Amino acid sequence: MPEFGYFLATEEFGPADLIEQARMAEQAGFDCLWISDHYHPWNDAQGQSPFVWSVIGALSEAVSLPVETAVTCPTVRIHPAVVAQAAATSAVMTGGRFRLGLGSGEALNEHVLGTHWPSANVRLEMLEESIQIMRRLFTGEEVTHHGPHYTVENARLYTVPDEPVPIDISGFGPKAAGLAARVGDGFITMGPDEEMVTQYRKGGGGGRLVSGGTKVCWGQDREEAVRTVHRLWPNQFLPGEMAQILPTPRHFEQLEPLVTEEMVAENTVCGDDVDEHVRELRAFVEAGFDRVYVGQIGPDQRGFFDFYRTKVLPQLRQG
């Protein structure tokens, strides 16, 4: 039976709201949590961006659900040796219920120190080297590393979990999926893409964990829910590589006129039709995903959790 998790959006909600949503998710019967890791929101309407590692510390005390970053970029803004320390501490605080989801990142978050934003191929090289460094540090042994992208000297993590932190790698194309199959403990992608899952498993991923996620907007007024998504998350509908290369929320806002409410209505589950919500998550299960995460867009979180607790999750678990 696949597991169903809740996706905490740090771009849209502050720390207190995220903790309360995690509590409601556990009470509603969700199995696990994803949490995004951003320096900026995608646009000013979303309006938040708390430091994810502080929130994870609070989550470790507030709930007993497993937690995973979806996803952290360990290459530019934060050195992989520091990400390794944050992840190891998170694993200790959660009693081993933490997974580190990694990706090659977006300029939106990573350019803030004025560092050159590399090409996609270079970013994947940096990601692979960062994973090598972090895996060595998770052993608790002293690490010295001189590589093409990173230098580490006499680094040792003294606070480490009993087992190394599992590392899942996010990917939306064949190169990233291949990297995940080669060096990851699991694979993350958005959208129920059966072809990507097959490619990952045949490329060496085997029976490792495959996780996917989606966002919905529950509400009794479907048209209002569509407007909410259009106002807060139009960035989801921008094509190509823009999500990886645009540097500020202002740049994403300049492209928002390209996204219409009709596009939102056709491509997002909005409203309170139980069957639509069930179909959205079942599509991931049918595509071979082991964990499926869903996030609620907008302020009506309590209504969403009541709806999923009483109507959606029971149907999903009937098979």
Side-chain angles (χ1 to χ4, degrees), residues 259-287:
V259 179
T260 65
E261 289 188 8
E262 289 74 19
M263 291 168 64
V264 171
E266 291 173 4
N267 294 282
T268 310
V269 173
C270 295
D272 60 355
D273 186 314
V274 178
D275 291 340
E276 283 191 25
H277 286 264
V278 170
R279 277 197 302 271
E280 176 75 3
L281 273 64
R282 266 203 187 131
F284 286 87
V285 178
E286 292 166 359

Side-chain angles (χ1 to χ4, degrees), residues 96-308:
R97 293 176 285 105
F98 176 77
R99 297 181 75 93
L100 179 60
L102 298 178
S104 59
E106 302 99 7
L108 176 72
N109 303 303
E110 304 305 315
H111 86 289
V112 296
L113 302 182
T115 307
H116 168 69
W117 184 235
S119 66
N121 286 340
V122 174
R123 297 202 305 270
L124 288 175
E125 288 177 9
M126 296 171 73
L127 180 59
E128 183 165 7
E129 185 178 345
S130 75
I131 291 169
Q132 294 170 359
I133 292 167
M134 289 188 286
R135 288 201 189 281
R136 291 178 63 192
L137 286 166
F138 289 153
T139 67
E141 299 175 357
E142 185 177 292
V143 174
T144 294
H145 171 92
H146 297 282
H149 301 289
Y150 302 105
T151 297
V152 178
E153 291 187 352
N154 308 118
R156 179 183 173 190
L157 298 183
Y158 281 80
T159 301
V160 293
D162 294 335
E163 299 292 333
V165 179
I167 295 175
D168 299 336
I169 299 173
S170 172
F172 303 97
K175 289 185 179 179
L179 176 64
R182 190 170 70 253
V183 302
D185 297 306
F187 179 52
I188 291 170
T189 194
M190 300 295 287
D193 192 332
E194 184 175 2
E195 184 178 341
M196 287 290 290
V197 174
T198 300
Q199 179 182 330
Y200 168 73
R201 296 209 185 279
K202 288 184 176 179
R208 298 177 208 156
L209 184 71
V210 175
S211 303
T214 187
K215 286 186 173 66
V216 302
C217 187
W218 175 87
Q220 295 177 330
D221 184 332
R222 187 176 189 276
E223 292 183 0
E224 179 61 29
V226 168
R227 288 192 291 270
T228 297
V229 177
H230 185 256
R231 176 174 60 87
L232 291 173
W233 287 88
N235 57 283
Q236 294 189 120
F237 307 96
L238 296 177
E241 296 181 54
M242 285 184 281
Q244 283 74 50
I245 63 175
L246 295 180
T248 71
R250 183 178 67 256
H251 289 94
F252 283 91
E253 290 165 0
Q254 290 169 1
L255 297 178
E256 287 177 4
L258 298 175
V259 179
T260 65
E261 289 188 8
E262 289 74 19
M263 291 168 64
V264 171
E266 291 173 4
N267 294 282
T268 310
V269 173
C270 295
D272 60 355
D273 186 314
V274 178
D275 291 340
E276 283 191 25
H277 286 264
V278 170
R279 277 197 302 271
E280 176 75 3
L281 273 64
R282 266 203 187 131
F284 286 87
V285 178
E286 292 166 359
F289 286 76
D290 304 300
R291 284 184 178 175
V292 186
Y293 295 81
V294 58
Q296 161 73 353
I297 293 172
D300 197 349
Q301 297 290 318
R302 189 165 296 280
F304 164 86
F305 284 115
D306 287 344
F307 178 70
Y308 267 67

